[in-house]
């Protein structure tokens, strides 16, 4: 199993509790799970790297457990309980101090910090109810952001967890002086600044700047008409990639708030997407069971893999998704093996459909012949009677005409006219 896990550069979690690894260069997908414990109770909700070397992967399940997956061994090596399933599903995982400290957050709003192998959390913070997402600042790893339904964006410093560092303010009332609802679905920290980008369930994208006194968004943009569910920032900066519940993904300009372009090819709601750390690529997954990797330059699909299960989350490796051509010997060998298998199938004897059709046709004719004979021999007396009736009619006609010719009545009238003409001529000669 370790040989299968090493080349995988994309990792995904499914509703059936399977951790899936995809090797883009080999164009293969692998399942890593314990088949005896496969159930909806082990549904994978979140993924994150356990260390900077990306040698281990942390998997958060619905039952409140966090499993450690080893890339070298290709198997799960550790599991710890980090909450009660009644508190809600995981909405975020993060690590501190090179993997020694684990940070978890659940839907009920409990953010916990777990140190070492302790079964009790070292710190517990209530960040509000109906939390939809928790994200870690990649540059300042001790800072995290949270938000949810009617739960505005909050930025927390885990070194001073008494109160949030920044709390966003709701939008201004609309033109009817009614309060506008707020529903944060995902967020991301803009590199090189303190700004935070969020997407909402009301198809909005907001940019907040905690370094300024303003707590409302400094930029607001909209995309489509459906709830936005996922957000990620490209490595180039200046834009954000968002996806919604109808399988639509778009790139938005964070300077002007305009849509730069949309991606095509999706057919289900987007649950997770992530831009690559160095390449102009974005990976997405969701309800249509496909992993798709699009190019941010021309917005075309570069890779598409069907994974058989509905997918909840994904995680990209920081290295290149496709290995160099020199290191693809194994992939070429596998392709050759597949070609050999195709040659075996092609060399097999094929059954001609024409012979089968002839056999079927002959059998059908044999079945139809007795039916035709039976229908032809049926009621022979009636056929003879009909023939006798037609003969009698012909004899009656011939007796009436005196000759067997056709239209006897017409021929008799012509003879009478010829006779009258002769009589007239004789009378004229006698008078003369």
């Amino acid at each position: 199993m370790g040989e299968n896990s090493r080349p995988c550069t994309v990792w995904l979690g499914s509703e059936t509790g399977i951790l899936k690894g995809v090797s883009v260069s080999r164009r293969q997908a692998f399942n890593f799970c314990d088949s005896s414990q496969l159930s909806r109770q082990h549904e994978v909700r979140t993924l994150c790297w356990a260390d900077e070397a990306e040698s281990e992967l942390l998997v958060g399940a619905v039952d409140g457990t966090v499993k450690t997956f080893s890339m070298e061994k290709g198997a799960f090596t550790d599991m710890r309980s980090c909450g009660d399933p009644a508190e809600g599903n995981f909405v975020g995982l993060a690590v501190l101090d090179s993997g020694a400290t684990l940070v978890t957050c659940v839907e009920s709003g409990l953010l916990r910090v777990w140190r070492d192998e302790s079964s009790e959390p070292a710190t517990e913070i209530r960040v509000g109810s109906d939390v939809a997402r928790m994200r870690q600042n990649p540059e300042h790893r001790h800072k995290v952001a949270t938000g949810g339904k009617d739960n505005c964006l909050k930025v927390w410093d885990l070194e001073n967890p008494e109160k949030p560092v920044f709390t966003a303010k709701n939008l201004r009332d609309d033109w009817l002086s009614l309060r506008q609802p707020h529903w944060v679905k995902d967020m991301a920290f803009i590199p090189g600044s303190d700004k935070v980008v969020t997407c909402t369930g009301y198809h909005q994208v907001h940019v907040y700047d905690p370094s300024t006194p303003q707590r409302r968004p400094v930029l607001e943009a909209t995309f489509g008409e459906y709830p936005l569910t996922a957000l990620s920032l490209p490595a180039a900066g200046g834009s954000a990639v968002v996806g919604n519940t109808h399988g639509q993904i778009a790139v938005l300009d964070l300077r002007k708030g305009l849509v730069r372009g949309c991606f095509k090819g999706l057919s289900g709601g987007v649950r997770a997407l992530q831009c690559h750390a160095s390449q102009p690529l974005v990976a997405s997954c969701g309800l249509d069971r496909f992993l798709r990797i699009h190019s941010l330059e021309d917005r075309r699909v570069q890779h598409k893999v069907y994974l058989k299960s509905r997918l909840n989350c994904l995680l990209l490796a920081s290295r290149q998704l496709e290995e160099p051509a020199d290191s693809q010997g194994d992939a070429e060998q596998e392709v050759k093996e597949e070609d050999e298998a195709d040659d075996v199938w092609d060399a097999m004897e094929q059954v001609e459909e024409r012979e089968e059709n002839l056999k079927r046709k002959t059998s059908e004719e044999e079945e139809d012949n007795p039916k035709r004979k039976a229908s032809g021999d049926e009621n022979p007396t009636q056929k003879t009677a009909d023939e006798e009736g037609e003969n009698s009619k012909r004899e009656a006609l011939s007796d009436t005409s005196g000759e067997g010719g056709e239209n006897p009545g017409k021929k008799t009238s012509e003879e009478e006219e010829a006779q009258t003409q002769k009589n007239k001529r004789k009378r004229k000669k006698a008078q003369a």
Side-chain angles (χ1 to χ4, degrees):
M1 297 296 288
E3 297 178 357
N4 295 336
S5 61
R6 291 191 191 99
C8 294
T9 53
V10 185
W11 296 89
L12 305 101
S14 68
E15 286 187 354
T16 54
I18 301 176
L19 176 64
K20 296 177 178 289
V22 177
S23 174
V24 177
S25 58
R26 294 185 178 182
R27 298 182 181 180
Q28 288 182 335
F30 305 96
N31 293 333
F32 301 93
C33 65
D34 186 0
S35 58
S36 61
Q37 298 181 353
L38 195 61
S39 66
R40 291 276 181 169
Q41 296 178 355
H42 299 89
E43 176 182 351
V44 180
R45 300 293 301 184
T46 55
L47 296 172
C48 77
W49 296 112
D51 54 358
E52 295 181 358
E54 299 179 357
S55 61
E56 290 183 338
L57 185 68
L58 296 180
V59 181
V62 171
D63 58 358
T65 60
V66 177
K67 302 177 183 178
T68 303
F69 181 83
S70 174
M71 299 295 170
E72 183 179 358
K73 298 179 181 179
F76 292 97
T77 58
D78 188 18
M79 182 179 68
R80 63 186 297 181
S81 178
C82 296
D84 188 357
E87 297 172 349
N89 299 325
F90 286 117
V91 295
L93 282 179
V95 293
L96 301 174
D97 303 330
S98 301
T101 304
L102 177 64
V103 182
T104 63
C105 186
V106 294
E107 292 175 336
S108 60
L110 292 175
L111 190 151
R112 297 186 175 100
V113 180
W114 309 81
R115 299 190 184 278
D116 300 328
E117 298 295 331
S118 176
S119 59
E120 297 295 330
T123 306
E124 184 172 311
I125 309 171
R126 293 191 175 272
V127 299
S129 60
D130 294 331
V131 179
R133 191 78 69 188
M134 180 201 77
R135 293 289 187 187
Q136 184 182 28
N137 189 336
E139 296 181 350
H140 306 281
R141 304 185 69 85
H142 59 278
K143 290 185 178 181
V144 296
T146 61
K149 189 173 185 179
D150 293 329
N151 187 353
C152 293
L153 172 71
K154 298 182 181 67
V155 179
W156 301 84
D157 187 352
L158 299 179
E159 296 179 353
N160 299 305
E162 288 78 14
K163 62 178 181 179
V165 177
F166 172 78
T167 302
K169 195 173 183 180
N170 196 11
L171 302 176
R172 299 183 184 277
D173 296 344
D174 60 8
W175 63 283
L176 292 174
S177 298
L178 297 176
R179 175 182 174 274
Q180 295 194 47
H182 198 60
W183 189 0
V184 177
K185 298 289 289 185
D186 201 355
M187 71 282 294
F189 289 88
I190 298 179
S193 67
D194 294 331
K195 295 181 181 180
V196 184
V197 187
T198 66
C199 65
T200 72
Y202 302 102
H203 57 89
Q204 301 165 327
V205 176
H206 295 150
V207 179
Y208 295 90
D209 191 357
S211 62
T212 62
Q214 183 177 351
R215 294 195 298 160
R216 287 193 171 95
V218 296
L219 175 69
E220 181 178 356
T222 59
F223 168 66
E225 300 178 354
Y226 306 103
L228 300 177
T229 55
L231 178 144
S232 184
L233 301 181
S239 61
V241 183
V242 295
N244 62 16
T245 57
H246 278 237
Q248 299 171 348
I249 299 179
V251 181
L252 275 70
D253 191 338
L254 296 181
R255 298 182 181 91
K256 299 181 180 180
L258 302 176
V259 178
R260 288 185 179 178
C262 299
F263 299 90
K264 297 181 180 180
L266 287 85
S267 58
V270 180
R271 285 189 171 177
L273 58 85
Q274 182 180 353
C275 297
H276 194 267
S278 58
Q279 295 178 286
L281 300 173
V282 57
S284 62
C285 67
L287 298 179
D288 61 354
R289 299 173 171 85
F290 277 95
L291 164 68
R292 291 181 176 86
I293 300 177
H294 288 83
S295 171
L296 292 173
E297 296 176 348
D298 55 9
R299 298 191 297 276
R300 293 184 179 180
V301 178
Q302 302 294 320
H303 303 282
K304 180 179 176 182
V305 183
Y306 180 67
L307 297 174
K308 300 182 181 179
S309 302
R310 296 202 294 183
L311 307 170
N312 292 328
C313 51
L314 67 84
L315 186 64
L316 296 181
S318 59
R319 66 179 188 272
Q320 291 186 357
L321 296 185
E322 294 189 60
E323 299 177 359
D326 296 339
S327 62
Q328 292 184 359
D330 296 338
E332 293 177 358
Q333 183 178 0
E334 292 178 1
V335 172
K336 289 180 180 179
E337 291 177 357
E338 292 179 357
D339 293 339
E340 290 177 359
D342 295 336
D343 294 339
V344 172
W345 284 106
D346 294 337
M348 292 180 66
E349 183 180 358
Q350 297 181 358
V351 180
E352 296 292 338
E353 296 182 357
R354 185 176 179 182
E355 294 180 2
E356 294 181 357
N357 294 332
L358 290 174
K359 291 180 180 179
R360 291 178 182 174
K361 189 174 181 180
T362 305
S363 60
E364 291 175 358
E365 289 178 355
E366 289 177 358
E367 291 177 359
D368 292 336
N369 287 333
K371 293 181 179 179
R372 292 176 180 174
K373 291 179 181 179
S375 61
D377 296 336
E378 190 176 4
N379 296 329
T381 56
Q382 183 177 0
K383 185 176 180 181
T384 306
D386 294 338
E387 292 177 353
E388 291 178 356
E390 291 178 358
N391 292 332
S392 61
K393 290 179 180 179
R394 291 174 183 174
E395 291 176 357
L397 291 172
S398 61
D399 292 338
T400 307
S401 60
E403 296 179 0
E406 190 176 356
N407 295 333
K410 185 176 179 180
K411 290 182 180 180
T412 304
S413 60
E414 291 177 353
E415 291 175 355
E416 290 178 353
E417 289 179 356
Q419 188 64 32
T420 53
Q421 291 294 333
K422 288 180 181 181
N423 294 333
K424 288 181 179 179
R425 290 173 184 170
K426 289 179 179 180
R427 290 176 183 171
K428 289 180 179 179
K429 288 181 180 180
Q431 291 177 359

